Amino acid sequence: VVIGARKYAHHVLVVNDGSRDRTSEIARAAGAEVIDHLTNEGKAAALSTGFNELKKQDFDIVVMMDGDGQHDVEDIDALIAPIIEQNADLVIGSRFLKDGNSIPLYRQVGQRVLNRVTNISSSTKVTDTQSGFRALSRNALDHMDFHSNGYAVEQNMIIHFSERNLKIHEVPISVRYDVPNGHKRGSLSMGVGLLADVVAAVGYRRPLLMFGIPGLILCLAGLGIGILTLIDTYPLGSWLFQTFLAGMLLMLGAFLSVSALTLNSLTLLMQMNTDK
């Protein structure tokens, strides 16, 4: 990966996130600058380390890519083109815009869910919010000043840049999944964790949309079922079950609605303090 990337870049930086194998030794031998984490801190921390180091240097464009060989370095030219043409600050390589990518079905389904949730909080609709193959302009690099955890950093980057009115663009890229050293964490557990992180991030920024609307719907459903019970109409079974269901929906809806209003107030206060 390093040797291939050097054909397209003036400088290659590898962040070794606590690996105990020969990652650092091989990367340096291949011509990369290497920064070592003493312990494994996660993808977001590794990217933060790399971006903070690159901010100190005078680069116009920075490309981030995974180190497992899934990405094709030949796509770098297409990835940086919109930035060179001054049409984008962040360019995302989308696996779903190019025909011929044999993407497993479970990845397609999971990615669509993550896309929907992320796009709720972004003014730009992105087809591959989880892609780790991206190019950033100098302006985008200087805006890498947000906190993120784990593998949700890609989604948080989109939301953060969208809020800062940075221009986001996508280009088609190739991808392969038959690499010898793929991700070792289970896809299901990683997907669930990612979804939880994204929901939390979007819920923080758009609490009325993420929690308020579902809360209102649940309250109305509970109220409707309760009214049917009062007029001796039981479409959902016995009066006892229907009463219990109405109460549960009302309580859950009220909880979500109050949480949404509280979070929205806190978000507005924090934004006011930030503006000051």
Side-chain angles (χ1 to χ4, degrees):
V1 172
V2 171
I3 292 173
R6 289 185 64 196
K7 298 177 183 178
Y8 297 87
H10 295 295
H11 183 74
V12 177
L13 172 65
V14 172
V15 179
N16 171 32
D17 190 31
S19 297
R20 301 300 181 188
D21 53 18
R22 299 176 64 196
T23 293
S24 296
E25 177 185 346
I26 294 173
R28 288 190 177 94
E33 175 190 0
V34 179
I35 298 177
D36 291 296
H37 284 176
L38 295 179
T39 59
N40 182 267
E41 299 180 28
K43 184 172 185 177
L47 285 174
S48 179
T49 295
F51 286 134
N52 288 337
E53 176 62 28
L54 294 173
K55 285 179 183 179
K56 304 173 186 176
Q57 306 184 43
D58 188 25
F59 294 117
D60 295 320
I61 301 176
V62 171
V63 175
M64 54 177 276
M65 64 186 300
D66 296 342
D68 58 7
Q70 286 190 349
H71 300 145
D72 187 347
V73 294
E74 293 184 0
D75 288 328
I76 290 178
D77 280 343
L79 206 64
I80 66 176
I83 298 178
I84 294 175
E85 297 165 359
Q86 297 184 345
N87 292 325
D89 294 297
L90 170 66
V91 182
I92 301 171
S94 175
R95 298 162 289 180
F96 300 96
L97 292 179
K98 185 170 185 175
D99 296 332
N101 286 337
S102 300
I103 304 173
L105 180 60
Y106 70 90
R107 286 182 179 269
Q108 296 184 41
V109 174
Q111 187 60 58
R112 287 194 182 99
V113 174
L114 291 171
N115 289 346
R116 292 287 180 86
V117 177
T118 303
N119 288 336
I120 288 175
S121 191
S122 172
S123 59
T124 303
K125 304 307 176 187
V126 177
T127 65
D128 195 354
T129 57
Q130 189 57 27
S131 173
F133 197 11
R134 305 180 174 202
L136 292 81
S137 69
R138 182 72 210 190
N139 185 34
L141 180 63
D142 291 336
H143 278 84
M144 285 296 299
D145 54 1
F146 61 93
H147 176 73
S148 185
N149 292 314
Y151 284 86
V153 61
E154 279 95 359
Q155 284 92 345
N156 291 342
M157 188 187 300
I158 294 170
I159 296 171
H160 181 75
F161 285 178
S162 178
E163 291 178 341
R164 299 300 187 278
N165 295 318
L166 271 67
K167 293 178 289 186
I168 301 174
H169 188 75
E170 284 187 294
V171 297
I173 60 166
S174 302
V175 66
R176 51 177 297 192
Y177 292 99
D178 58 344
V179 292
N181 295 295
H183 203 285
K184 296 177 177 60
R185 185 179 174 185
S187 298
L188 180 60
S189 62
M190 186 169 71
V192 172
L194 270 172
L195 182 59
D197 289 341
V198 173
V199 168
V202 176
Y204 167 74
R205 290 172 170 83
R206 300 282 182 87
L208 293 179
L209 181 63
M210 181 61 67
F211 303 120
I213 292 178
L216 179 61
I217 292 173
L218 289 175
C219 281
L220 292 175
L223 184 62
I225 294 173
I227 292 173
L228 289 175
T229 305
L230 289 175
I231 61 176
D232 295 331
T233 303
Y234 310 114
L236 300 176
S238 67
W239 71 269
L240 183 61
F241 172 76
Q242 197 162 291
T243 302
F244 175 77
L245 181 61
M248 288 297 296
L249 291 176
L250 281 169
M251 286 190 294
L252 181 57
F255 172 76
L256 288 175
S257 299
V258 171
S259 298
L261 292 172
T262 304
L263 288 172
N264 187 62
S265 299
L266 290 173
T267 301
L268 291 175
L269 286 172
M270 292 183 70
Q271 288 176 350
M272 290 172 61
N273 290 330
T274 301
D275 294 338
K276 293 178 181 179

